[in-house]
Amino acid sequence: MRQARLKKFAIRFLLLNLVYLSVKLTMDHEEDFDFFNPTSMFYYITAFILFMGTWEVNDWLFYRELKVHGNRTLGPANILRIVGGTLLILLPISAMLYYLGIFELNHICEIDAENPWLQWRIDFLRSIIIGVSVIFVNMFYHSITLKR
């Protein structure tokens, strides 16, 4: 059991880094490309929290839903409950993390934004898109493994 959880964490960690790297490479066009500046570290830490949190909450809701219904299949209503529950937890955490980073802790994170509210909306929307993608990939994975 421990080895399976470690393998799951390693795969998710690899995917997180691949997505983070691809977003970073497409968004950053500076000549002094640095992964270890405060802004990059803030975005990496928030990506880690949101990715892993989304996956774990989604897994927890999925298995709880299976346990409640006592079978190995889930209908559309159950899936909507799982996705909705995950989003209800993901959205406030994402909004709070980016608000704190852009407005309250900007002296630490050093996010250079001409319009902080626009930057917050962009970061929040990006986290929603990536979070919803994570949810659906995870649900697809679970639907495949249930069929076996």
Side-chain angles (χ1 to χ4, degrees):
M1 181 69 165
R2 184 177 262 273
Q3 190 174 15
R5 288 195 55 79
L6 188 60
K7 181 180 175 184
K8 180 174 82 169
F9 178 81
I11 290 169
R12 290 177 176 182
F13 186 72
L14 176 67
L15 287 172
L16 161 72
N17 284 300
L18 288 173
V19 170
Y20 176 78
L21 182 62
S22 63
V23 169
K24 177 91 170 134
L25 290 174
T26 58
M27 299 300 293
D28 243 348
H29 301 291
E30 300 174 8
E31 292 169 13
D32 58 337
F33 196 75
D34 184 14
F35 283 106
F36 300 105
N37 64 29
T39 304
S40 295
M41 294 307 295
F42 167 75
Y43 282 115
Y44 183 79
I45 290 168
T46 56
F48 183 85
I49 291 168
L50 293 173
F51 259 71
M52 295 303 182
T54 300
W55 266 316
E56 290 302 318
V57 167
N58 193 253
D59 280 351
W60 174 71
L61 289 171
F62 181 83
Y63 290 119
R64 189 187 84 178
E65 202 65 34
L66 280 180
K67 190 177 190 180
V68 166
H69 295 286
N71 57 13
R72 294 192 49 84
T73 60
L74 294 177
N78 305 93
I79 292 171
L80 282 175
R81 225 180 350 263
I82 294 167
V83 171
T86 307
L87 287 174
L88 277 174
I89 295 170
L90 167 71
L91 296 179
I93 292 172
S94 178
M96 182 191 65
L97 283 173
Y98 289 115
Y99 177 82
L100 288 173
I102 293 171
F103 294 101
E104 301 299 323
L105 302 174
N106 197 23
H107 60 282
I108 297 169
C109 301
E110 298 178 8
I111 298 171
D112 185 29
E114 291 177 24
N115 184 345
W117 281 108
L118 177 62
Q119 185 67 41
W120 180 84
R121 288 191 304 259
I122 290 169
D123 291 344
F124 183 63
L125 180 62
R126 187 181 310 130
S127 73
I128 292 170
I129 291 169
I130 293 172
V132 168
S133 300
V134 167
I135 292 168
F136 284 112
V137 166
N138 201 36
M139 294 302 292
F140 179 71
Y141 168 77
H142 284 306
S143 70
I144 289 173
T145 58
L146 277 180
K147 299 296 181 190
R148 291 183 190 173

